[in-house]
Each structure stands twice: as C-alpha cells, then as structure tokens.
Amino acid sequence: MDKLIPDPPFNATTPNAEALRSEELLKDREAIKRALDYYLDPPKPYAAKPRRPSTMYLVAPDMGTESLLAQACESLASASVLASDFATNLIGPQRNTVLAIQQIIMLAELAVNRALDNVDPQI
C-alpha cells in the first residue's frame, strides 16, 4: 500500500538547532536552580542579618523584674475586667468565647502573681 504522505526525515533538526535547544535547557536549569535556592535556601547575608525589633514601644532596659511583673499583673487585671464587661453585653457562643478569653487572662494573672511572690516574698 502506498502512502499519500511520505515519512518525515529521521533527523530533521540541524546541529545548530540542537545546540540552541541545549543552551535553552541549560539556561532553564540554571533559572530553576536559582529559584529553588532563593526560596528554599536563602542567601547567607539575608539569613545572617540579625532581627532588629521595633523601638516604638520600648521597655526601659533598667526596669527591675519586680516592677515588670507588677505592671504585667495590673495589665492582666485590667484586661480581665474589660473582657468581663464585654461579655455581659453578649449572648450565646460569643459570650462563651469572651468568658474563655477572660479565664485565660485570669490564669496568666495568677502565674504572674506567683512569679511576683517568688521574686519578693511577703512574709
């Protein structure tokens, strides 16, 4: 049986086209490697850069532990009262959520009070 369309030649590409294709593959591999290195293994200058926290709200470095704990205790007590007042205006699941938050605040307040007692025992 005769074919109406002849078979394509076995090697239709020229050596020049193969060289271009291999250069494109090499460039693609290099780009993929750079992208993976950037996202999975950041460059050392960026990774070694120390984190500099914001100084907008700065606690005085010479504050004593007792003063810091006392301030934290007062802040937690205020947050507990705020949550309790807010919960009185809510009903249902929202009220339960706010009361759970208040309980977490109260537990933190108890922990801070115990730490304060350990720093300065009231005998």
Side-chain angles (χ1 to χ4, degrees):
M1 177 189 307
D2 291 328
K3 288 183 169 181
L4 296 176
I5 302 173
D7 288 333
F10 180 68
N11 191 0
T13 60
T14 62
N16 203 10
E18 282 185 23
L20 289 174
R21 178 73 179 142
S22 66
E23 285 179 21
E24 287 176 6
L25 288 174
L26 186 61
K27 287 179 183 178
D28 288 345
R29 285 188 187 127
E30 289 173 357
I32 291 169
K33 185 178 180 331
R34 280 194 314 270
L36 288 174
D37 287 345
Y38 177 78
Y39 287 108
L40 299 178
D41 186 26
K44 295 302 177 200
Y46 298 114
K49 185 177 178 182
R51 182 180 170 277
R52 203 173 129 225
S54 172
T55 57
M56 184 172 181
Y57 303 105
L58 181 67
V59 177
D62 59 342
M63 286 287 283
T65 304
E66 184 179 355
S67 298
L68 292 171
L69 286 172
Q71 184 64 37
C73 183
E74 290 175 11
S75 296
L76 288 168
S78 298
S80 178
V81 170
L82 286 170
S84 177
D85 289 347
F86 184 59
T88 59
N89 298 325
L90 298 174
I91 57 172
Q94 290 87 8
R95 184 172 195 271
N96 294 338
T97 302
V98 173
L99 289 175
I101 292 170
Q102 182 200 18
Q103 185 175 12
I104 294 169
I105 293 169
M106 287 173 50
L107 290 172
E109 184 182 1
L110 287 172
V112 170
N113 276 328
R114 178 54 55 104
L116 191 55
D117 289 341
N118 290 342
V119 169
D120 185 26
Q122 303 278 333
I123 299 178

